[in-house]
Amino acid sequence: MRFSELVKASWHALIANPKRSFLTTIGIIIGIASVVAIMSLGAGVKKQMLRDLDTTQTGQQTAEIYYNSRDMFLNEPGFDNRDVTMLMDANLKGVAKFEILQQTKKIGMTAIINDSQQAMTADLVNKPVKQPIVAGQNLTTYDFEVKNPVMLMSDKLATKMYTTAANAVGTSVTVQQTTYTVIGVYHNKAADARLPKPLYLNSSTGKQGNGIKLTFKPGAQVSVGAKQALHQLKKSGSHHRDGRYEYIDMGKLLKGISKSISGITYFVAAIAGISLFIAGIGVMNMMYISVSERTQEIGVRLALGATPKNIMMQFLLEAIILTVSGGVIGLVIGTSVAAVASMAMPFRAIVTPASVALAFGVSTAVGIVFGLLPAKQAANKNLIDILR
C-alpha cells in the first residue's frame, strides 16, 4: 500500500471512535502545553533580564567602573572631571561617552568647621525630610526654591565640634567654595550633615562620584573597552594612590545568569514533561485495546494481500497521528497560556523555535516509542489463527 493510503486509513480508524481518541490525547495536550508555557515564560524573563542588565533604555551597551577608597570612613569620591578628560584623550576602543555617577547618599567630603578642616559625610536631599530636630529648625521648601546656602548638622558632629547642639546653630561650614549656614541640628547616626542637592551640585567645582559609566558604540566589545579604561585609571586616575578601581565583567556575569535561567527553565519543564510519560502509557494501552478489537479487520486486510509491514505501519501511524495531534493542540494552548500570563508580568513570553520543535519532536517520539509494541503485535497476527 502507498504511504498516503496508510495515513488515510489510520486517520479514519481514529475518527471512528473520536471520544476515546480525544481522551487518550489529553495527557499529551497537558504535557506539551505545560512545557511550552514554561519554556516561553523562561525565554521571556531571560531576554528581559539580560536586556535590563546589558543595555541602556536606548539599547546601547554600558559598563561601570567603581572606586573604593582605602579610608573607609572618609568615603571621598574617586572620580572627577580630570578622569573623564584623561579617558577621552586615551581614545578607548568602542567607547562613545563617559559619565560620572554622582552620589546622593553619604557623600564623603572635606569641610571647614569651626576654623578647622574636618572630614564628614553628607546626604543630598531635594526636599525637606521629616526628622527629629534637636536644635534650630528644619530645612524648608523656600530654602530649596531660592537655593539658600543652608544645611543641617547631625547632633553627633555638633557636639564634637561645638560641645552642644545649640552652639552649632548659626555657625558656618565651608564645603568646596560654598559657605553654608547651619540652621538646625538633627538626630541622625548615618550621615554628619544634610545639604540641599540642587545647590551642592551647582556649586560643585565639577561632577564627582564613586562610579563612572562607559557607553559603547553599537557592536563594540564591551569587555575590551572597559578593561582598557580600568588600566588607564589604575595608571593615571585622579585617586589611583588612595584606593582601587574595580570593573565587573558584565559579559561573564550575563552568560552565567543566562545559563542559570536556562537550567531552571529546563528543569521545571522536565518535571512538567513527566506527564508525557504517563500519557505515553495511555497511548500504548489504547493501541493494545484497538489491536484486540480489530482482529477481524487485520485478518481481512491480510487476506486481501496486505503485508505484515503494512499492518504494522498503519497502527504505528495511528499512534503517531494521535500524539502529534495532541502536540499541536498542546502547543496552541501552551502559547495562549504563556501570552495571558505575561500580561500580568513585566515581560513578554517568547515562543522560541525550540518550543515548536519540542512540541512536534516529543509528541512524535512518544507516538513511536509507545505505539511500536502494539503495532508489532498487530503485524505478528497469523491469518490462519484469525480465521479459526
Side-chain angles (χ1 to χ4, degrees):
M1 294 178 66
R2 289 181 298 178
F3 183 76
S4 59
E5 293 177 353
L6 288 173
V7 173
K8 186 183 292 186
S10 301
W11 175 253
H12 284 299
L14 291 173
I15 61 175
N17 198 333
K19 288 184 180 179
R20 184 168 68 182
S21 298
F22 176 72
L23 290 173
T24 305
T25 61
I26 286 180
I28 302 292
I29 293 171
I30 294 173
I32 294 295
S34 302
V35 172
V36 169
I38 291 169
M39 292 188 66
S40 299
L41 291 171
V45 70
K46 175 181 172 181
K47 183 175 181 179
Q48 184 65 39
M49 186 177 291
L50 295 183
R51 182 187 298 160
D52 292 343
L53 291 173
D54 192 38
T55 62
T56 64
Q57 292 181 348
T58 58
Q60 294 175 299
Q61 289 183 305
T62 63
E64 294 178 1
I65 298 175
Y66 293 95
Y67 170 81
N68 290 312
S69 174
R70 291 192 179 92
D71 189 340
M72 297 176 60
F73 300 98
L74 183 58
N75 195 28
E76 186 177 358
F79 296 100
D80 55 35
N81 288 337
R82 292 174 295 171
D83 297 297
V84 174
T85 302
M86 182 266 295
L87 291 174
M88 291 178 64
D89 292 341
N91 293 321
L92 302 179
K93 189 177 294 185
V95 182
K97 186 175 67 174
F98 301 93
E99 180 184 356
I100 292 176
L101 303 175
Q102 290 182 294
Q103 292 177 288
T104 58
K105 291 290 184 181
K106 206 172 182 180
I107 300 176
M109 58 183 65
T110 302
I112 304 299
I113 306 175
N114 198 14
D115 297 327
S116 63
Q117 193 171 17
Q118 179 73 27
M120 74 173 191
T121 58
D123 286 339
L124 302 185
V125 292
N126 282 312
K127 60 182 180 180
V129 179
K130 291 183 178 180
Q131 64 223 323
I133 299 297
V134 178
Q137 66 180 46
N138 196 359
L139 297 171
T140 65
T141 304
Y142 178 77
D143 293 326
F144 288 89
E145 289 176 352
V146 301
K147 296 182 180 179
N148 275 342
V150 293
M151 63 173 282
L152 298 179
M153 183 179 290
S154 71
D155 51 355
K156 181 180 178 181
L157 181 61
T159 53
K160 175 184 175 183
M161 302 302 299
Y162 298 101
T163 308
T164 65
N167 290 340
V169 178
T171 61
S172 298
V173 176
T174 302
V175 178
Q176 294 183 355
Q177 297 179 353
T178 303
T179 299
Y180 296 85
T181 300
V182 179
I183 62 171
V185 177
Y186 71 113
H187 179 67
N188 192 320
K189 295 181 180 180
D192 297 320
R194 186 158 282 162
L195 305 177
K197 183 178 178 180
L199 178 63
Y200 175 81
L201 295 181
N202 287 339
S203 61
S204 177
T205 56
K207 280 191 174 183
Q208 294 180 319
N210 275 341
I212 188 167
K213 182 167 75 172
L214 286 65
T215 303
F216 291 81
K217 300 174 183 176
Q221 293 183 334
V222 176
S223 60
V224 173
K227 287 176 181 177
Q228 288 180 342
L230 185 65
H231 176 74
Q232 288 293 329
L233 288 168
K234 287 180 177 179
K235 179 182 177 183
S236 309
S238 59
H239 290 74
H240 72 279
R241 291 187 178 89
D242 305 319
R244 65 181 185 277
Y245 301 96
E246 295 179 348
Y247 159 66
I248 298 176
D249 191 339
M250 290 301 293
K252 290 183 179 179
L253 180 62
L254 292 174
K255 285 181 181 178
I257 292 173
S258 178
K259 287 182 179 179
S260 297
I261 295 175
S262 296
I264 293 171
T265 301
Y266 290 137
F267 176 73
V268 176
I271 294 175
I274 293 175
S275 61
L276 291 171
F277 178 79
I278 300 171
I281 301 292
V283 170
M284 179 184 286
N285 184 53
M286 191 211 103
M287 292 305 300
Y288 272 124
I289 294 172
S290 180
V291 169
S292 63
E293 288 179 347
R294 294 159 61 189
T295 301
Q296 290 184 351
E297 176 192 332
I298 295 171
V300 171
R301 294 194 59 200
L302 288 172
L304 293 175
T307 63
K309 184 179 180 181
N310 295 145
I311 302 297
M312 179 178 173
M313 283 297 299
Q314 179 181 339
F315 280 90
L316 187 58
L317 282 172
E318 287 180 23
I320 294 173
I321 291 173
L322 200 65
T323 55
V324 170
S325 299
V328 172
I329 297 171
L331 175 63
V332 174
I333 294 175
T335 302
S336 303
V337 169
V340 172
S342 64
M343 291 180 181
M345 299 180 181
F347 60 88
R348 295 183 62 183
I350 300 173
V351 181
T352 61
S355 299
V356 178
L358 182 75
F360 286 99
V362 172
S363 57
T364 302
V366 169
I368 293 173
V369 171
F370 292 94
L372 188 60
L373 290 178
K376 279 187 175 182
Q377 185 186 61
N380 291 335
K381 284 190 176 293
N382 188 281
L383 178 58
I384 297 174
D385 292 336
I386 294 172
L387 293 176
R388 286 176 184 172

